[in-house]
Amino acid sequence: MIGKLKGVVDSYGEDFVILDVHGVGYVVHCSARTLQRLPPTGEAAELAIETHVREDMIRLYGFRADAEREWFRLLQTVQGVGTRVALGVLSVMEPGDLATAIATGDKGAVARAPGVGPRLAARLVAELKDKAPAFAPVDPALIQLTGAVEANTAPQPVADAISALVNLGYAQVQASAAVAAALKGAGEGAAALEAKTLIRLGLRELAR
């Protein structure tokens, strides 16, 4: 089983790189984001490898970091997600951003990946939400707040402030994070804040 390859970039294909390791060319399939960040032909590169073995073939998948490989594995635990869809998700989102989107229930962000419609995005969020925080630098207060908003149990001023920020063009996760930061900064007085105050404080957080 191959876990890592270190060699020289020989050539690129549409969704793969050929890595020359001591004269042996390995075809390694990668996300578009990984391919874009690899060096030019003739330069050294190193990839973490996930090896898939089937009766009729052996296929290698390459990643610039172990976190990306872990997400590649984790995504495929969800029904309807194979290697192609998993690479598609990782092509449009960094592992940290993906973890944050799933942890905060941002189905819209996940659905931007090729091959992921609204239904599959909802399934990904639902099935991986408990696992995602371990991979994301997300404030637990943000996760709690977005869960409350989704369940319609958040205080009305909080829900109204998030809604107003979304209407101003901010993504749901950005608006929730800004309001969560505002509440955290207010300390014991957070419960008494009105929506207009939360909006102002939220905009201040977003401007940082």
Side-chain angles (χ1 to χ4, degrees):
M1 196 69 70
I2 299 173
K4 182 175 75 171
L5 286 175
K6 186 176 183 180
V8 175
V9 175
D10 179 86
S11 59
Y12 285 100
E14 184 178 351
D15 65 347
F16 65 86
V17 60
I18 296 180
L19 202 60
D20 185 327
V21 182
H22 303 301
V24 178
Y26 291 89
V27 177
V28 184
H29 296 268
C30 305
S31 70
R33 187 179 293 273
T34 292
L35 289 173
Q36 290 165 4
R37 296 185 177 184
L38 287 174
T41 301
E43 294 192 13
E46 181 176 328
L47 289 169
I49 300 295
E50 177 77 0
T51 307
H52 281 206
V53 180
R54 287 172 30 183
E55 290 183 3
D56 56 343
M57 71 172 189
I58 298 175
R59 179 165 286 195
L60 306 179
Y61 296 91
F63 310 92
R64 294 179 64 252
D66 288 340
E68 187 183 14
R69 180 171 59 183
E70 289 303 313
W71 269 107
F72 180 71
R73 294 169 176 169
L74 194 58
L75 287 166
Q76 291 178 79
T77 64
V78 177
Q79 183 182 0
V81 179
T83 56
R84 183 180 295 275
V85 171
L87 284 182
V89 172
L90 293 169
S91 290
V92 299
M93 302 186 77
E94 292 277 6
D97 294 336
L98 173 60
T100 298
I102 291 178
T104 57
D106 189 356
K107 296 184 284 290
V110 180
R112 289 200 301 267
V116 179
R119 186 175 298 178
L120 182 54
R123 190 185 309 147
L124 282 164
V125 168
E127 295 189 20
L128 300 181
K129 194 166 187 175
D130 293 338
K131 301 175 184 178
F135 295 88
V138 184
D139 188 336
L142 172 57
I143 298 174
Q144 183 178 3
L145 177 61
T146 52
V149 171
E150 190 171 332
N152 294 319
T153 58
Q156 196 59 48
V158 171
D160 289 344
I162 292 174
S163 178
L165 293 176
V166 169
N167 290 335
L168 288 173
Y170 294 99
Q172 178 80 30
V173 66
Q174 290 178 301
S176 297
V179 173
L183 291 169
K184 190 173 183 179
E188 294 181 359
L193 293 177
E194 296 181 354
K196 61 181 181 181
T197 304
L198 285 172
I199 295 168
R200 177 172 53 80
L201 295 174
L203 287 170
R204 185 182 299 172
E205 293 291 334
L206 288 163
R208 289 186 177 181

